[in-house]
Amino acid sequence: MKKIFSLLAMALSMSFAMTSCDDNDLPDVDINITVSNAEIVDHQMYVVRGDILRIESITVTNNEPDKPAAITSASYYWDGVFQGEAYQAPFAFNIATFKPVDGKLGTPLGAHRLQIYAPVVALDKDLAFALMTYTVNVVESVDDIPAGGTNAMTHHVDMHAGEFNRNGAGS
């Protein structure tokens, strides 16, 4: 009889464990990033070496009508290296690129990875975390930037319930 009760107790506890594994109700949001000193072409950013890439703002749009959503901070990573954080809207941040000077290396030309890690809150949803990754092309001159650029981009972000490994922002 003891075996039956212990098996029933174990089965009951396992059923609770299995039903609580995937009950996260995560936000469904779009994130808009606005930049200056850079152009966005085909979802890639372009910045001239020696200029400062300025993230002017990050805004959130909840895809559920009439329900607010926001990020609470933004952590910035360049090629997997932590650069700093912004804690107040509009979450602006500057990333400098450098030209070679007096034999010292500058920012290498070519593709780099900008990652922005941000906690996301939305009305009636669980806390979630977004990791946005952008390709930033550092070019020698403005003539190397493809035509048709803009300074803003909106995209849908997949949310995660747990925090990312922020050491290298998922690298």
Side-chain angles (χ1 to χ4, degrees):
M1 195 66 165
K2 276 184 167 180
K3 279 187 176 180
I4 292 174
F5 283 127
S6 58
L7 285 174
L8 284 174
M10 197 175 349
L12 185 61
S13 65
M14 287 298 288
S15 69
F16 284 127
M18 295 303 178
T19 58
S20 66
C21 284
D22 195 21
D23 63 349
N24 296 317
D25 191 12
L26 302 177
D28 177 20
V29 300
D30 291 331
I31 297 198
N32 183 54
I33 184 168
T34 304
V35 299
S36 63
N37 269 8
E39 291 284 321
I40 299 171
V41 180
D42 294 329
H43 300 285
Q44 294 188 25
M45 296 182 199
Y46 289 82
V47 62
V48 175
R49 181 163 61 178
D51 285 349
I52 295 173
L53 168 60
R54 298 183 194 284
I55 291 89
E56 297 291 344
S57 68
I58 300 173
T59 57
V60 178
T61 303
N62 195 341
N63 290 321
E64 290 188 49
D66 303 320
K67 291 193 175 183
I71 64 172
T72 59
S73 65
S75 301
Y76 294 88
Y77 297 82
W78 180 262
D79 289 336
V81 177
F82 177 73
Q83 300 296 305
E85 295 179 301
Y87 293 103
Q88 276 186 294
F91 307 102
F93 196 79
N94 295 333
I95 297 181
T97 64
F98 301 95
K99 291 187 177 205
V101 176
D102 297 330
K104 294 182 182 176
L105 295 176
T107 304
L109 296 174
H112 296 268
R113 183 176 61 175
L114 170 64
Q115 292 178 297
I116 304 171
Y117 169 85
V120 179
V121 294
L123 183 65
D124 298 329
K125 298 293 180 180
D126 293 339
L127 174 65
F129 299 89
L131 181 63
M132 299 153 281
T133 302
Y134 304 95
T135 298
V136 179
N137 297 292
V138 177
V139 296
E140 190 63 47
S141 79
V142 72
D143 297 331
D144 298 325
I145 299 175
T150 182
N151 71 335
M153 154 171 50
T154 300
H155 59 276
H156 188 76
V157 177
D158 292 328
M159 295 293 130
H160 298 272
E163 285 196 66
F164 290 94
N165 172 7
R166 291 175 50 163
N167 295 329
S171 60

